[in-house]
């Protein structure tokens, strides 16, 4: 398969009367054309059936999240019991940390990368404070070496050698939102486990972008959103992964709600919580069906394409982009040159007149992402970005004086 093979399944935003060069799927994925049909189906069923839709909608609402489970499990390399679609990303990080961040007086620190997405940083800091620890003391930053932009495993090993016995949890981004660096998830997990540390990942920039094997890699937990590479609409629901090792252990403490209760007795409205085994047992509320309908449309495309095939197609396009932009004097690429250490995003550091270049590209129909003070982030999303998209981008950069 080639990159962009599914382009005609998406609505492409128009600029100046033609298709934009949309390289912003890392921020908000495009709308699959089927979304309207699937959302409409839900609206029609609600109109015609009312509450009966829970059981009798064409896709009944009661088990609706289950329609997404297999596809979700395939995307992240999990057993179906290990994933569920629910809530939003930061909310899910907190719910997961409620279960897996279990500080003790000797072991209470949290390790996160220094360039983490701000919400993740706020989330881990607030967890530490919530348990009565001082942020300065409890949060350990995994930083790039001086004058570098990327983190490396040697630094992590050094931190663990010194402070490993005090660290309760590692929580880092699988693909860094700023640099596009794809971290070595299995190796980080292995290193953490060597020190008896719980290891979780934020996969907002990884899911739908790279293929993973979370179960085999023995990751403890993970969470992601569905509106970036998963193309499921602004603010749409996130997903979680909980390794079966924890999910099947019903004694793992959790913040609970009725949707995590045993399905066969949920509606007997008993006082005692009887958790579902697996990730489903972390659900709180009955979920919103309308955004799930959008996710269902998106998952069908991932199922057809296959995440491994998408990743392969993406490598070629990104390599072209990387090679072409490497020759530019204006641009320094922050993202790793090793294709195994990146997904479909490249982060371009433009030290001189970066904003002017960005504005020029925007006028010419490019939709990309600007990060102050001088970084342009672009992503060639393999479902809808073609080699032609990136060729056009490169020639616009080259023609800019
Ligand atoms: C996009 C993103 C978020 C956004 O969190 P929401 O709770 O969905 O608003 C958080 N963390 C990372 C790493 C992200 O990439």
């Amino acid at each position: 398969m080639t990159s962009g093979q599914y382009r005609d399944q998406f609505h492409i935003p128009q600029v100046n009367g033609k298709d934009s060069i949309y390289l912003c799927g890392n921020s908000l994925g495009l709308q699959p054309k089927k979304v309207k049909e699937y959302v409409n189906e839900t609206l029609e069923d609600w109109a015609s059936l009312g509450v009966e839709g829970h059981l009798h909608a064409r896709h009944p609402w009661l088990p609706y999240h289950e329609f997404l489970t297999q596809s979700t499990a395939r995307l992240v390399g999990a057993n179906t019991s290990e994933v569920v679609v629910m809530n939003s990303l930061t909310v899910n990080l907190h719910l997961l940390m409620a279960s897996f961040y279990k500080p003790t007086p000797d072991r209470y620190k949290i390790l996160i990368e220094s360039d983490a997405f701000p919400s993740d940083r706020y989330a881990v800091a607030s967890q530490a404070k919530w348990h009565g620890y001082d942020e300065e003391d409890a949060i350990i930053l995994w930083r790039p070496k001086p004058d570098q932009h990327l983190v490396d495993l040697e630094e992590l090993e050094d931190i663990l050698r010194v402070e490993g016995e005090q660290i309760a949890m590692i929580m880092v981004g699988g693909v860094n939102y700023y640099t596009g660096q794809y971290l070595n998830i299995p190796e980080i997990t292995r290193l953490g486990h060597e020190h008896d540390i719980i290891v979780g990942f934020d996969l907002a920039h990884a899911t739908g972008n790279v293929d993973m094997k979370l179960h085999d890699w023995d990751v403890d937990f993970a969470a992601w959103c569905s509106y970036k590479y998963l193309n499921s609409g602004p603010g749409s629901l996130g997903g979680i992964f909980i390794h079966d090792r924890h999910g099947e252990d019903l004694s793992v403490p959790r913040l609970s709600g009725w949707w995590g209760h045993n399905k066969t007795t949920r509606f007997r409205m008993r006082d005692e919580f009887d958790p579902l085994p697996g990730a489903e047992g972390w659900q709180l509320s009955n979920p919103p069906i309308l955004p799930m309908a959008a996710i269902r449309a998106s998952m069908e495309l991932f199922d057809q394409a296959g995440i491994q095939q998408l990743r392969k197609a993406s490598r070629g396009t990104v390599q072209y982009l990387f090679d072409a932009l490497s020759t530019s004097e204006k641009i320094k690429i922050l993202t790793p040159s090793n294709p195994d250490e990146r997904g479909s995003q490249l982060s371009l550091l433009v030290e001189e007149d970066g904003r002017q270049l960005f504005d020029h590209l925007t006028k010419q129909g490019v939709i990309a992402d600007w990060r102050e003070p001088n970084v342009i982030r672009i992503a060639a999303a393999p479902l809808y970005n073609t080699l032609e998209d990136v060729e056009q981008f490169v020639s616009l950069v080259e023609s800019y004086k």
Side-chain angles (χ1 to χ4, degrees):
M1 103 174 246
T2 55
S3 186
Q5 197 168 315
Y6 288 79
R7 185 178 182 83
D8 64 352
Q9 304 288 322
F10 287 87
H11 292 288
I12 310 293
Q14 301 293 299
V15 176
N16 306 331
K18 54 181 191 195
D19 281 5
S20 60
I21 303 169
Y22 193 85
L23 300 176
C24 218
N26 56 318
S27 184
L28 187 77
L30 293 180
Q31 184 186 137
K33 289 180 179 163
K34 279 263 171 137
V35 164
K36 195 176 267 176
E37 179 187 329
Y38 288 6
V39 170
N40 275 340
E41 176 193 298
T42 306
L43 291 173
E44 287 161 13
D45 287 347
W46 175 24
S48 63
L49 297 168
V51 72
E52 300 286 315
H54 283 300
L55 294 175
H56 301 300
R58 278 163 280 180
H59 290 83
W61 306 330
L62 195 58
Y64 203 99
H65 70 273
E66 294 171 21
F67 303 132
L68 311 175
T69 301
Q70 275 191 359
S71 320
T72 303
R74 270 196 286 273
L75 278 178
V76 297
N79 294 333
T80 50
S81 51
E82 291 175 316
V83 295
V84 70
V85 171
M86 63 179 205
N87 311 318
S88 302
L89 172 53
T90 311
V91 171
N92 284 335
L93 289 176
H94 277 298
L95 291 177
L96 290 165
M97 288 193 277
S99 290
F100 299 110
Y101 174 51
K102 295 273 120 203
T104 65
D106 296 331
R107 195 191 265 279
Y108 57 90
K109 297 188 178 179
I110 303 174
L111 182 138
I112 187 168
E113 77 276 33
S114 59
D115 266 329
F117 193 93
S119 199
D120 299 36
R121 179 71 183 274
Y122 307 152
V124 296
S126 65
Q127 282 283 334
K129 281 192 234 168
W130 168 253
H131 285 278
Y133 298 94
D134 185 29
E135 176 179 348
E136 292 283 300
D137 174 41
I139 303 300
I140 299 178
L141 296 181
W142 176 16
R143 296 178 188 280
K145 288 190 178 133
D147 302 323
Q148 303 286 311
H149 295 280
L150 305 171
V151 292
D152 74 48
L153 285 174
E154 278 172 32
E155 295 286 305
L156 178 64
E157 285 177 74
D158 285 347
I159 297 173
L160 294 179
R161 210 170 294 123
V162 179
E163 294 182 273
E165 312 315 306
Q166 297 166 28
I167 299 176
M169 181 180 72
I170 294 174
M171 220 289 289
V172 293
V175 173
N176 184 272
Y177 86 103
Y178 178 66
T179 62
Q181 181 179 16
Y182 177 24
L183 293 177
N184 190 330
I185 295 175
E187 188 58 13
I188 293 169
T189 306
R190 193 188 66 74
L191 288 170
H193 287 174
E194 248 177 37
H195 292 267
D196 293 327
I197 299 169
I198 283 275
V199 186
F201 291 90
D202 185 324
L203 302 176
H205 283 262
T207 309
N209 178 13
V210 293
D211 54 322
M212 295 176 282
K213 293 197 172 83
L214 297 186
H215 177 86
D216 292 348
W217 293 344
D218 210 26
V219 166
D220 290 295
F221 69 87
W224 55 90
C225 60
S226 67
Y227 48 81
K228 293 171 180 163
Y229 293 96
L230 297 187
N231 311 312
S232 300
S236 190
L237 295 162
I240 64 162
F241 165 88
I242 294 174
H243 199 283
D244 272 341
R245 207 155 24 81
H246 305 299
E248 278 166 7
D249 177 358
L250 299 182
S251 71
V252 172
R254 68 196 75 195
L255 298 176
S256 304
W258 74 319
W259 229 250
H261 187 96
N262 184 336
K263 289 173 201 177
T264 58
T265 56
R266 183 187 288 150
F267 292 97
R268 290 192 205 140
M269 304 300 198
R270 301 187 317 191
D271 283 342
E272 211 168 282
F273 180 65
D274 175 12
L276 285 164
E280 285 190 325
W282 268 260
Q283 297 172 106
L284 300 181
S285 299
N286 83 99
I289 304 302
L290 294 169
M292 280 194 172
I295 300 176
R296 191 160 65 80
S298 169
M299 286 301 125
E300 281 186 0
L301 295 175
F302 279 98
D303 286 343
Q304 282 169 36
I307 187 68
Q308 281 85 8
Q309 282 72 13
L310 281 169
R311 171 73 166 141
K312 264 192 220 130
S314 162
R315 279 172 183 265
T317 314
V318 176
Q319 191 64 46
Y320 170 86
L321 197 53
F322 192 95
D323 293 342
L325 295 173
S326 296
T327 62
S328 163
E329 281 164 18
K330 299 186 270 269
I331 288 170
K332 179 178 182 313
I333 303 175
L334 298 182
T335 312
S337 55
N338 178 351
D340 293 336
E341 293 176 28
R342 64 180 189 225
S344 42
Q345 176 185 325
L346 293 182
S347 301
L348 315 177
L349 179 69
V350 195
E351 278 179 333
E352 239 172 83
D353 301 337
R355 184 72 217 194
Q356 282 89 327
L357 171 61
F358 182 79
D359 290 343
H360 166 77
L361 295 169
T362 304
K363 272 202 211 91
Q364 300 299 317
V366 173
I367 299 181
D369 177 270
W370 172 254
R371 285 281 135 167
E372 291 294 344
N374 50 18
V375 171
I376 298 172
R377 297 185 307 164
I378 50 174
L383 277 172
Y384 51 78
N385 282 126
T386 57
L387 190 58
E388 199 190 348
D389 279 332
V390 300
E391 283 171 349
Q392 283 181 316
F393 179 83
V394 168
S395 72
L396 286 172
V397 170
E398 281 171 352
S399 67
Y400 179 69
K401 289 284 176 291

